[in-house]
């Protein structure tokens, strides 16, 4: 499918919650959402690799404030490049990060982890309740994010993968 530009879809710095930087010289949306940065292809490579390798029907939880790069790079591939409509990126961009209810992320993870692959952008305790999750689930690095496995499916981890120290069953 042909990609549609983000501004044409109504995405702007303001609608995505990107704060104004300086005197509004930098285009925050272009800075965060365009993974091509003057020859540095790391962000693009990360997004392209994830979208080409992620299992079907994947959910990625990347809270925009703490995991800005993951939220915007993966969002770019999802919304602007229109790749893999089966991959959903959640990040609560309109919620105040200083008053964020970790329960939102935990509840979503608990509701979805048995239904489809769930990935976290980081192990932030403030946004994902990672310490509590690690005591109930197997968290393992996968595709440059952290995959959440049910304890009963930990035996199905990819070859060489293990639950993080102190995590999982």
């Amino acid at each position: 499918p042909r990609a549609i530009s983000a501004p044409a879809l109504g995405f702007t710095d303001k609608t995505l919650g990107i704060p104004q930087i300086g005197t509004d010289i930098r285009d925050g949306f272009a800075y965060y959402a365009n993974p091509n940065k003057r020859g540095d292809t790391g962000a693009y490579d990360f997004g392209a690799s994830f979208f080409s390798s992620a299992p079907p029907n994947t959910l990625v939880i990347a809270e925009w404030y703490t995991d800005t790069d993951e939220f915007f790079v993966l969002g770019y591939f999802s919304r602007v490049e229109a790749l893999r409509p089966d991959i959903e990126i959640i990040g609560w961009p309109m919620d105040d990060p200083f008053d964020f209810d970790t329960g939102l992320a935990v509840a979503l993870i608990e509701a979805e982890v048995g239904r489809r692959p769930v990935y976290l952008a980081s192990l932030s305790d403030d946004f994902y309740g990672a310490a509590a999750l690690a005591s109930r689930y197997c968290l393992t690095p996968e595709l440059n994010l952290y995959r959440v496995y049910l304890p009963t499916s930990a035996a199905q981890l990819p070859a060489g993968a293990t639950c993080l120290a102190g995590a999982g069953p």
Side-chain angles (χ1 to χ4, degrees), residues 5 18 23-24 29 40 43 61-62 64-65 68 73 76-77 84-85 108 110-111 114 130 134 141 153 156:
S5 75
I18 300 171
T23 57
D24 207 26
F29 181 77
D40 176 1
I61 302 174
W64 75 273
Y65 182 78
T68 305
V73 169
Y76 169 84
F77 280 91
R84 299 280 309 268
L108 180 60
E110 290 177 341
S153 63
Q156 300 171 4

Side-chain angles (χ1 to χ4, degrees), residues 14-70:
K14 187 173 186 169
T15 62
L16 291 171
I18 300 171
Q20 179 178 330
I21 304 298
T23 57
D24 207 26
I25 294 171
R26 184 180 85 185
D27 179 345
F29 181 77
Y31 177 80
Y32 285 115
N34 182 352
N36 300 300
K37 309 264 190 278
R38 296 184 183 165
D40 176 1
T41 62
Y44 188 90
D45 294 346
F46 158 69
S49 174
F50 183 83
F51 271 76
S52 68
S53 302
N57 200 29
T58 288
L59 171 65
V60 176
I61 302 174
E63 207 291 322
W64 75 273
Y65 182 78
T66 191
D67 297 310
T68 305
D69 294 337
E70 293 86 349

